[in-house]
Amino acid sequence: MKIPRAVAHANKVVTNPIQGLWAGRIAPWAVVEHVGRKSNKSYSTPVLAFVDDDRISIVLPYGTDADWVRNVLAAGRFTLVRGGERLDVAGARVLPSDSPDVVKSARIPAMVADSVLYGRIA
């Protein structure tokens, strides 16, 4: 189930700047730091990120068309700030939400989405 674009836009403009103030310090909230694929500008996007050893899963309730997801996929890597820690993540790819590669702690939240962003801590 994909959340409507109007909700995604409202979150991008209103909610994300507020969540970005604290999300990198309170797990499972996290901040994805990425670079625009066209603008080459740095961006920070608050997300729910689930970590298991060296693997991460981020549920994609807005689908794979979100700008930050396209930026991360184009780069193949990003920085994740979670629990006050900065983690370099490589091998970014999209998985179906029911994939066995989705980290265990993300499997229930992933049931509300079609896909999950997956990567490995470098």
Side-chain angles (χ1 to χ4, degrees), residues 7-74:
V7 174
H9 181 71
N11 281 340
K12 183 177 183 178
V13 173
V14 178
T15 311
N16 286 1
I18 295 166
Q19 287 178 337
L21 297 173
W22 52 266
R25 292 177 283 208
I26 304 171
W29 286 101
V31 174
V32 171
E33 295 178 344
H34 53 99
V35 176
R37 64 197 177 284
K38 296 177 185 173
S39 68
N40 210 30
K41 182 179 170 186
S42 295
Y43 294 98
S44 297
T45 304
V47 297
L48 283 173
F50 301 90
V51 178
D52 185 8
D53 293 325
D54 68 338
R55 301 177 309 131
I56 66 106
S57 292
I58 300 171
V59 178
L60 302 175
Y62 303 113
T64 58
D65 292 336
D67 287 332
W68 75 267
V69 175
R70 295 189 303 177
N71 290 341
V72 163
L73 292 174

Side-chain angles (χ1 to χ4, degrees), residues 57-60 64 93-103 106-107 110-118:
S57 292
I58 300 171
V59 178
L60 302 175
T64 58
R93 60 190 169 113
V94 173
L95 301 175
S97 58
D98 60 353
S99 169
D101 289 333
V102 172
V103 302
R107 290 186 184 153
M111 293 190 313
V112 301
D114 294 332
S115 51
V116 171
L117 183 73
Y118 174 88

